[in-house]
Amino acid sequence: MKRGDVTYRRRSPLRPRGRSAVSLVGLLALAALVSGCGIRTTSVPVDAGAAPSRVPCRLAASDVATPSPDGVSAEVYLVCASQLVTVERPMPADAVGAEPVEVARALLKEVQQAPSAGERRAGFTTAVPAGLRVDPPRDGDPAGALRLSSQPEDLSEEALAQLVCTYTESDALVRNGSVVLGGPGDYPPRGYLCTSQTKSRPGDLATPDALRLD
């Protein structure tokens, strides 16, 4: 229809039809919902990290042994939830005041002993091999040195960390803040430290921090 020099055309609005309209409305609603909830969409898998440990690493009251009146006890380090945690073990009374090698042997026996049923329920294990032995120092070794039947560096990280940290709890075995350990070979003994990192991540270290003894 013309009116003067201007031509008028009737335009009908654009309307989505059928399923296309429903799909478009659904997508718009979903996008609004995601945006409104503050959720960022991603196609990359998200690593939430390792599941938290459920082991308590602590003995139940019913599993704690009551020491005898004339008995003595010592703290030894076991592995629990990839860390070193102490437990109390009874010790022979004659270990008190004994020669350092005898104290070391008594502590080694406890730390390599399989955990009790209560300790296993709490999550404790030990990595110290049953066949490991402690021998006296040789001529020329530093004062207070101990010789193991295996080279210290040949033990697993957890086993060496357990042994070093257990020995550092005994005044009879510590020399200048470290434990002096050697092996059956001709290598000289070294001084090993038990640090907070050794206790929290024993499996991450090739060996506990070692000191050269001059």
Side-chain angles (χ1 to χ4, degrees):
M1 178 173 54
K2 295 185 179 181
R3 187 174 296 172
D5 294 332
V6 181
T7 302
Y8 289 87
R9 294 181 181 176
R10 188 184 299 274
R11 296 182 180 180
S12 60
L14 296 177
R15 298 178 182 176
R17 296 180 181 179
R19 295 182 179 177
S20 299
V22 175
S23 301
L24 180 58
V25 172
L27 290 174
L28 291 175
L30 178 60
L33 178 62
V34 172
S35 176
C37 293
I39 301 174
R40 180 178 299 174
T41 58
T42 178
S43 59
V44 181
V46 177
D47 183 6
S53 173
R54 296 180 180 274
V55 293
C57 296
R58 184 171 56 187
L59 290 176
S62 58
D63 293 325
V64 177
T66 303
S68 59
D70 57 345
V72 295
S73 62
E75 288 188 338
V76 301
Y77 281 85
L78 300 180
V79 181
C80 189
S82 301
Q83 302 179 63
L84 296 187
V85 183
T86 56
V87 297
E88 275 204 8
R89 291 278 180 81
M91 293 284 290
D94 56 4
V96 179
E99 290 295 318
V101 67
E102 297 301 326
V103 175
R105 285 171 175 167
L107 289 172
L108 173 61
K109 181 179 178 180
E110 291 301 323
V111 79
Q112 67 190 171
Q113 178 180 323
S116 65
E119 291 169 344
R120 291 196 302 271
R121 282 192 295 270
F124 290 101
T125 61
T126 184
V128 180
L132 189 66
R133 302 187 315 276
V134 180
D135 295 320
R138 300 175 183 173
D139 291 341
D141 282 349
L146 300 168
R147 289 277 180 169
L148 304 179
S149 58
S150 294
Q151 197 65 27
E153 294 81 5
D154 291 339
L155 297 173
S156 70
E157 293 87 346
E158 291 86 353
L160 183 55
Q162 276 186 260
L163 194 60
V164 169
C165 288
T166 296
Y167 281 174
T168 55
E169 294 292 330
S170 171
D171 293 338
L173 304 180
V174 177
R175 294 293 183 273
N176 297 322
S178 69
V179 177
V180 184
L181 299 177
D186 295 331
Y187 300 104
R190 304 174 73 183
Y192 292 89
L193 301 174
C194 177
T195 66
S196 58
Q197 186 178 15
T198 309
K199 298 175 185 178
S200 62
R201 296 188 299 174
D204 288 353
L205 303 177
T207 62
D209 295 342
L211 306 174
R212 296 187 61 180
L213 302 174
D214 298 325

